[in-house]
DNA sequence: GACGCTTGGTTAAAGTTTGAAACAAACCTA
DNA sequence: TAGGTTTGTTTCAAACTTTAACCAAGCGTC
């Protein structure tokens, strides 16, 4: 099979995407580390909990929502628990499961730091976009998220029979 | 200052963005780990070198292009050097600098694995987008990259005077 | 009701990233 | 040109992530 290389335009789009996503994530991490003492992922975990009924979720569900592996979550929750922002609770009706639950202190940290986080996201991202672009962004990424999520479910569906190229590596 | 919270639409866009970027990066990492034995970042480093004159760049320039910290790059290059894909060379006219240079083997690995990588990027990203969306993607992200890059340069320009909220933490 | 499979979660070890500090060469500038 | 600053890079420890392996509890079924 001959490779379908990226067009000029696609390459530009891809590079811009890589650069911007990395820079944005770095900037957000820095801000949150500064103001909340935790990286973005950990903040997201708290945020996810804060929106769940009773401020708690089973580990698996939380991992699912945060788009991370269970083991990564275990580590993160352990740290947040040490910090007193989360408490573990075991599930009554399924002895295997355990809940992660936001503590009052966790909620307080979230409330204290949310404005700064939102301001960062807004100033770095949304303030830079026109209303139409916000629309486009949502359209594009919600579509992508959906198909990527579907892909996620089947672990390596088919084989991977590619080889030999004749153009650039695309980064 | 009262917080400028995200609108419904902005929240949806932001969540979709977070989800899709994480899932995409994970998928690409998995594919490259499988087929090239290295994560995306390391592949990018090789790719960047392959496009530089003589296949080499000073560490700082390489870090700049790859959007990573110098210390992260040092670690990565050390590993890639162990793998024989990169060689370090010191700079003649500035004794502080050192170059990272793609070896023949590094180039070979790149050529061998590029088709698979491109195919992944294409099938997960570009195949999912209309030509207009590719256009929009490029427009949006090259703009973002530019402003984020500018921000990068000045290390914490102003102070950060925010507090108190009354809506959600936005993830 | 016991065997085998799946699910929920953790663990341990190896690998990676971060952030600050250390170093050394290059560059002022008085 | 000595002294101080900047620049290019590495180092180190602590924090984080990954991967594979593990354990226990549920589930299905014969």
């Amino acid at each position: 099979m001959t490779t379908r290389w990226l067009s000029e335009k696609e390459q530009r789009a891809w590079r811009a995407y890589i650069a911007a996503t990395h820079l944005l994530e770095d900037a957000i991490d820095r801000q949150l580390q500064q103001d909340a003492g935790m990286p973005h992922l950990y903040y997201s975990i708290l945020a996810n909990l804060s929106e769940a009924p009773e401020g708690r979720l089973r580990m698996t569900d939380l991992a699912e929502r945060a788009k991370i592996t269970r083991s990564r979550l275990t580590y993160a929750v352990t740290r947040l628990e040490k910090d007193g922002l989360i408490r573990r609770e075991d599930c009554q009706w399924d002895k295997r499961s355990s809940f992660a639950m936001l503590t009052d202190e966790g909620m307080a940290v979230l409330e204290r730091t949310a404005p700064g986080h939102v301001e960062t996201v807004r100033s770095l991202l949304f303030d830079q976009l026109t209303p139409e672009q916000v629309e486009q962004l949502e359209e594009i990424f919600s579509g992508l998220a959906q198909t990527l999520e579907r892909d996620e479910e089947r672990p390596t569906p088919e084989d991977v029979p590619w080889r030999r190229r004749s153009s650039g590596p695309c980064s």
Side-chain angles (χ1 to χ4, degrees), chain A:
Chain A
M1 174 180 175
T2 74
T3 305
R4 299 182 297 151
W5 296 100
L6 299 187
S7 68
E8 282 297 317
K9 181 170 284 299
E10 286 167 338
Q11 287 215 27
R12 278 200 306 280
W14 178 241
R15 280 162 207 270
Y17 169 84
I18 294 289
T21 51
H22 282 184
L23 290 170
L24 182 54
E25 187 61 10
D26 284 358
I28 291 177
D29 267 335
R30 266 198 307 281
Q31 183 267 316
L32 280 173
Q33 193 66 58
Q34 273 275 314
D35 297 3
M38 65 184 82
H40 188 196
L41 174 64
Y42 290 57
Y43 178 90
S44 302
I45 289 174
L46 298 185
N48 269 301
L49 287 178
S50 80
E51 287 165 359
E54 321 196 36
R56 55 185 220 160
L57 285 171
R58 289 181 344 158
M59 293 296 278
T60 297
D61 298 335
L62 184 48
E64 168 101 21
R65 297 201 192 196
K67 264 72 192 163
I68 60 176
T69 61
R70 296 209 242 23
S71 101
R72 192 178 177 183
L73 179 61
T74 294
Y75 179 89
V77 166
T78 303
R79 177 201 143 166
L80 290 170
E81 195 172 26
K82 266 192 199 100
D83 294 349
L85 310 184
I86 277 185
R87 176 174 51 246
R88 269 184 236 255
E89 282 183 350
D90 15 340
C91 177
Q92 291 310 312
W93 65 87
D94 184 342
K95 295 270 182 64
R96 290 169 305 179
S97 307
S98 67
F99 284 99
M101 172 167 184
L102 203 55
T103 61
D104 290 348
E105 194 185 342
M107 184 56 104
V109 166
L110 206 48
E111 294 190 336
R112 182 162 50 72
T113 56
H117 173 58
V118 174
E119 179 58 29
T120 302
V121 171
R122 176 173 287 293
S123 69
L124 295 182
L125 180 59
F126 292 109
D127 283 354
Q128 310 298 324
L129 304 180
T130 66
E132 301 81 56
Q133 287 182 317
V134 174
E135 178 75 43
Q136 295 164 1
L137 188 73
E138 195 220 321
E139 189 71 28
I140 291 174
F141 283 83
S142 58
L144 286 176
Q146 237 178 310
T147 67
L148 286 164
E149 226 136 55
R150 254 205 310 287
D151 279 13
E152 198 79 334
E153 284 157 24
R154 17 190 167 75
T156 325
E158 330 85 311
D159 57 318
V160 190
W162 45 53
R163 269 305 119 116
R164 287 293 101 194
R165 104 285 71 237
S166 75
S167 177
C170 120
S171 122

